[in-house]
């Protein structure tokens, strides 16, 4: 395990021509957005995913599911990007050929200045119509920028698509659903062609997303992991930086800026 200052990781990052940053819920934890698998505060410790995050759950109780996602959307709206998000955006100026692949459905990377994150699991801010083609929802009322927090158990009827009248659903990937094809293709191609993959704040247990760092490692890229806890990705990581994203990433980017190129 490398200590701060993260010299080995900084040298790898400074010399990389193509970088992938792969993020999970842990990078947003210090912004106050809960992770999924933390023992006490994780969403899946407090809520039943089968009642909230599957197509069957939405079919059975759309008001419960829509209300839960509205609660999450309101929390994310109140959150602010943390130094981990800002340092991630700064990697794009350090290495212009950087692709950011995130499993997160929040928009904190965008608000920190990252150019165009690849959202493998969709977005809280891109609701879709459940009708044929699952096109972006046409909403008669604009989605509010600062929605009122409905509270965690709120039941809210989902709107109907103004275009075709079908129900509107959250634009996230649920258990049992395929990942958006374009996003998955972009992520796989970037992972297969990078020199360095920096994985931050993911438990690395949800597939196919968790394949992304494995693909990079198999193709010879150096994997750098930032996580306060061990994960299955420890085994494929050239460097494991045990700390939080907001602590480690700014130090890593500063060290990479002054490392030999
Ligand atoms: P998890 O909740 O599974 O894992 C979060 C990871 O972040 C853990 O390994 C923590 O140790 C780490 N962590 C916690 N705080 C951190 C911090 N401050 N800095 C850095 N790391 C920290 O979240 P994901 O791996 O993102 O999918 O979960 C993957 C997918 O499972 C999610 O996208 C979601 C979920 O079900 C869908 O909803 C489809």
């Amino acid at each position: 395990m490398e200590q701060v200052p993260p010299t080995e990781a900084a040298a790898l990052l400074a010399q990389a021509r193509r970088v992938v940053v792969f993020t999970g819920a842990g990078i947003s934890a210090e912004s106050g957005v809960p992770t999924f698998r933390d023992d006490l505060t994780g969403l899946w410790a407090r809520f039943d995913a089968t009642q909230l995050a599957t197509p069957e759950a939405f079919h059975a109780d759309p008001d419960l599911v829509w209300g839960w996602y509205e609660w999450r959307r309101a929390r994310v709206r109140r959150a602010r990007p943390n130094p981990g998000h800002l340092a991630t955006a700064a990697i794009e100026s350090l290495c212009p050929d950087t692709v950011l692949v995130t499993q997160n459905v929040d928009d904190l990377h965008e608000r920190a200045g990252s150019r165009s994150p690849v959202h493998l699991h969709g977005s809280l801010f891109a609701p879709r119509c459940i009708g044929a083609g699952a096109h972006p929802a046409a909403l008669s009322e604009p989605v509010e920028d600062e929605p009122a927090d409905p509270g965690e158990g709120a039941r809210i009827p989902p709107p109907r698509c103004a275009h075709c009248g079908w129900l509107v659903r959250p634009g996230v990937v649920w258990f049992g659903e395929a990942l958006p094809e374009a996003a998955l293709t972009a992520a796989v191609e970037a992972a297969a062609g990078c020199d360095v993959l920096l994985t931050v704040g993911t438990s690395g247990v949800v597939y196919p997303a968790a394949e992304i760092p494995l693909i990079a490692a198999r193709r010879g890229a150096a994997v750098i992991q930032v996580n306060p806890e061990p994960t299955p990705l420890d085994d494929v990581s050239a460097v494991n930086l045990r700390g939080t994203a907001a602590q480690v990433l700014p130090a890593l980017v500063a060290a990479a800026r002054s490392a030999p190129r």
Side-chain angles (χ1 to χ4, degrees):
M1 188 173 78
E2 198 187 345
Q3 301 300 315
V4 173
T7 43
E8 187 188 347
L12 287 167
L13 197 55
Q15 284 159 22
R17 283 175 303 109
R18 287 186 285 187
V19 174
V20 170
V21 185
F22 178 66
T23 64
I27 197 168
S28 297
E30 286 153 292
S31 294
V33 179
T35 65
F36 293 94
R37 292 177 182 79
D38 183 277
D39 286 349
L40 296 174
T41 57
L43 291 176
W44 299 151
R46 301 177 50 224
F47 300 98
D48 181 353
T50 61
Q51 288 184 10
L52 295 164
T54 66
E56 295 76 21
F58 186 70
H59 184 72
D61 197 341
D63 298 11
L64 180 71
V65 172
W66 185 261
W68 191 68
Y69 280 92
E70 283 295 275
W71 168 70
R72 286 181 59 195
R73 197 165 67 85
R75 281 197 73 157
V76 166
R77 265 295 174 231
R78 285 201 309 272
R80 297 288 169 255
N82 68 57
H85 297 105
L86 297 171
T88 300
I91 293 175
E92 291 178 6
S93 53
L94 198 66
C95 177
D97 198 346
T98 293
V99 177
L100 171 58
V101 178
T102 186
Q103 298 162 87
N104 297 346
V105 295
D106 65 47
D107 61 349
L108 294 173
H109 280 306
E110 285 89 339
R111 285 198 268 148
S114 284
R115 275 192 308 260
S116 38
V118 175
H119 279 276
L120 280 182
H121 289 163
S123 163
L124 287 171
F125 301 96
R128 297 204 307 267
C129 173
I130 65 165
H135 56 81
L139 298 169
S140 47
E141 300 290 329
V143 174
E144 285 172 58
D145 261 2
E146 296 282 350
D149 185 343
E152 47 175 73
R155 306 172 65 85
I156 303 175
R160 289 197 174 262
C161 178
H163 177 63
C164 54
W166 285 94
L167 283 185
V168 168
R169 57 161 282 177
V172 303
V173 174
W174 283 326
F175 289 104
E177 292 189 311
L179 271 53
E181 207 177 308
L184 185 58
T185 303
V188 168
E189 283 176 2
C194 70
D195 315 303
V196 165
L197 183 139
L198 175 64
T199 172
V200 184
T202 180
S203 56
V205 297
V206 175
Y207 284 81
E211 273 290 334
I212 299 302
L214 304 183
I215 291 169
R218 278 200 296 272
R219 298 292 282 257
V223 175
I224 302 168
Q225 175 170 237
V226 178
N227 199 310
E229 304 291 336
T231 79
L233 297 173
D234 288 9
D235 296 342
V236 297
S237 298
V239 185
N240 276 297
L241 300 171
R242 288 270 189 266
T244 73
Q247 289 165 351
V248 173
L249 289 178
L252 175 60
V253 171
R257 280 211 180 97
S258 49
R261 310 295 301 264

